[in-house]
Amino acid sequence: MTARTDAPVYRADIYSAAAIRDTHSHYAALRALGPVVWLSKQKVYALPRYAECKAVLLDDRTFISGEGVALNPVANRVGQGTTLFSDGEEHARRRRQVAHRLTPRALRAMTETVEERAAAVVEAAVAGRNVDGVELATALPLSVVPDFVGWPQGGREHLLRWAGAAFDGLGPMNRQAVRSLPASVGMMRYARRVVGDRSVLEGSMGHDLLCAADTGEVMPAECATMLIDYLAPSLDTTISAISSALHLFAIHPDQWRLLKADPSLVPNAVNEVVRYESPIRAFSRTVARDTELAGTTLLKGSRVLVVYGSANRDALQWDDPDTFDIRRDASRQLGFGQGKHGCAGQGLARMETSAMLRALAARVERIEPTGTPEWALNNLIHRYERLPLALIPAWTTSGSPGQTPS
Ligand code: HEM
């Protein structure tokens, strides 16, 4: 694939370790170059601005997912059979299979459990005072999602590593993607065994998939890929959102005070966190027919990269995009994608992140940074690896952590 002369060229590797640690300065440079930028290292067209990202996500006939949304041919082949890597009726059929599990009504039935677990996680963390914000952010998703998907108890200890590897493997075929391959293959093997042994939890989403295979609605081979479809994107993403929220509120105490004073701002805050530090950096699409985007000719077969993390900081779309403000209406952020492939699990992710914020707001007076955070090195996931924090409790008159006495 060669660059069209009408697109500006960016030569830096946005998937290098240095760029992963400093992703926003690369995004700013890309946005300054134009709406469609040729990445000479990956040989794809990056879309760093909001309008083009949104247009591509909404035009799923021209910009297709069926040839994979990764940046390397191995992942684009191995991921065949997933909801993420499919188009048209096949995509709609896969998505329908478990849609009933993720409706607002179905999620409402889980609210109490999720809120209780979030409260327990936060209470334990407040008692310890000094925490790694990433560990704190991991506890709730890890206690909710495997049960929801129906993953058996055995093998849960590998889930985080497997899920992180699944994302890493969707980047370009760099050293990180290569290193992730054994774990990705391990996850797929294990999922096939789970389906073969029918060891999914009774009454779970995975159980629904097995039943659909029994009645011929899905192919038996699809069950394993679809289990991974829901498990792989459901941990690191939410861990990213919760840990970024912890960091952002730690370094913006004024915003924390606003949230504590008015917990009805929680849904806004979730959107603003996902806008400001979008958990998924970018997915790609294949161009299905010759077309034009923002004045750039895109030939059939070329690949475009929808850079959610950059679109969400585009000054053409947002006032003061680099300012974190939970009062802004960030509901149009693209961090959960948009259109037919828009995140199927966003209701659950929003519920978990909101539950954590509410539990924290009720029990924590201040969140204080106690060390330098470190970014995780992952091609796709934008999240901290380490986030040293202190949780300063809000003491009740009875002397236990809770609401600050008025
Ligand atoms: C903060 C948390 C999350 C973020 C930021 C996030 C982000 C995204 C994004 C950007 C996409 C769009 C993919 C595309 O455009 O090709 C997506 C798709 C998807 N997500 Fe999420 N996600 C999150 C949590 C979850 C959870 C908890 C689950 C499962 C319960 C989940 C399951 C899925 C699935 C199955 C798809 C594929 C949808 C399709 O292709 O039709 N996600 N997610």
Side-chain angles (χ1 to χ4, degrees):
M1 180 76 46
T2 49
R4 299 281 315 183
T5 46
D6 48 0
V9 179
Y10 195 63
R11 297 191 193 286
D13 178 5
I14 64 165
Y15 291 93
S16 69
I20 288 172
R21 291 192 185 99
D22 181 23
T23 190
H24 287 297
S25 63
H26 287 270
Y27 293 165
L30 286 170
R31 285 191 303 269
L33 278 174
V36 182
V37 180
W38 179 251
L39 296 182
S40 60
K41 179 85 180 157
Q42 278 77 39
K43 301 193 172 18
V44 295
Y45 293 97
L47 311 177
R49 297 186 186 168
Y50 184 95
E52 291 70 30
C53 285
K54 186 165 175 174
V56 162
L57 292 174
L58 294 179
D59 184 358
D60 54 280
R61 283 171 184 264
T62 310
F63 301 98
I64 58 172
S65 299
E67 293 182 19
V69 300
L71 278 186
N72 72 79
V74 178
N76 283 334
R77 202 172 49 247
V78 174
Q80 289 300 317
T82 59
T83 314
L84 190 62
F85 286 19
S86 49
D87 295 307
E89 182 42 38
E90 187 176 75
H91 170 255
R93 179 179 60 81
R94 289 191 178 132
R95 201 144 161 159
R96 262 197 314 271
Q97 294 307 324
V98 290
H100 60 284
R101 291 268 167 192
L102 291 157
T103 60
R105 192 162 169 216
L107 290 174
R108 265 197 302 279
M110 293 171 63
T111 311
E112 206 176 315
T113 310
V114 172
E115 299 266 346
E116 278 169 13
R117 289 188 191 179
V121 162
V122 169
E123 266 160 31
V126 172
R129 199 162 169 127
N130 286 318
V131 294
D132 177 348
V134 178
E135 268 175 37
L136 172 56
T138 302
L140 185 67
L142 207 51
S143 100
V144 169
V145 174
D147 286 348
F148 172 77
V149 173
W151 200 257
Q153 290 297 338
R156 287 195 181 190
E157 67 278 16
H158 304 299
L159 276 181
L160 268 181
R161 189 172 51 87
W162 282 345
F167 272 115
D168 230 354
L170 297 177
M173 197 40 93
N174 55 13
R175 197 184 314 168
Q176 282 185 216
V178 172
R179 259 204 311 248
S180 75
L181 282 175
S184 299
V185 171
M187 187 179 202
M188 180 49 91
R189 272 210 197 110
Y190 196 84
R192 288 207 187 107
R193 183 144 31 107
V194 167
V195 170
D197 298 347
R198 298 185 75 91
S199 56
V200 293
L201 303 185
E202 195 72 26
S204 65
M205 194 190 103
H207 188 243
D208 288 354
L209 283 174
L210 287 182
C211 296
D214 292 341
T215 56
E217 286 164 76
V218 299
M219 308 275 284
E222 275 179 302
C223 282
T225 47
M226 287 184 66
L227 274 185
I228 291 182
D229 236 343
Y230 281 83
L231 200 56
S234 59
L235 293 170
D236 282 273
T237 49
T238 316
I239 294 167
S240 161
I242 298 171
S243 49
S244 287
L246 285 165
H247 177 65
L248 288 167
F249 283 117
I251 61 170
H252 296 98
D254 54 323
Q255 293 288 315
W256 184 242
R257 280 193 294 275
L258 278 174
L259 192 78
K260 274 181 70 67
D262 182 3
S264 74
L265 285 170
V266 164
N268 250 20
V270 173
N271 275 325
E272 177 65 351
V273 168
V274 173
R275 181 193 75 80
Y276 198 83
E277 297 292 12
S278 308
I280 296 185
R281 299 178 76 204
F283 277 133
S284 72
R285 297 288 192 265
T286 305
V287 180
R289 59 175 175 84
D290 292 356
T291 188
E292 201 191 283
L293 185 64
T296 301
T297 307
L298 299 174
L299 296 180
K300 179 180 172 180
S302 48
R303 213 167 251 282
V304 294
L305 188 66
V306 181
V307 192
Y308 311 103
S310 179
N312 282 335
R313 294 276 195 115
D314 179 4
L316 295 173
Q317 178 63 212
W318 308 95
D319 293 335
D320 298 327
D322 297 328
T323 300
F324 174 67
D325 185 352
I326 63 170
R327 288 162 300 187
R328 84 162 79 225
D329 177 9
S331 55
R332 65 190 185 287
Q333 52 82 13
L334 296 179
F336 288 110
Q338 183 98 176
K340 296 224 175 80
H341 287 275
C343 179
Q346 63 180 288
L348 183 58
R350 286 176 189 280
M351 181 194 282
E352 293 174 77
T353 312
S354 302
M356 284 297 288
L357 288 182
R358 270 193 286 272
L360 284 158
R363 292 165 182 81
V364 173
E365 185 60 31
R366 288 190 316 281
I367 306 171
E368 290 180 352
T370 53
T372 312
E374 278 168 33
W375 287 106
L377 286 182
N378 189 295
N379 281 321
L380 262 283
I381 290 289
H382 176 64
R383 80 158 167 86
Y384 291 104
E385 180 69 43
R386 197 174 151 269
L387 183 59
L389 298 171
L391 303 178
I392 313 302
W395 296 98
T396 61
T397 42
S398 65
S400 58
Q403 301 277 19
T404 315
S406 49

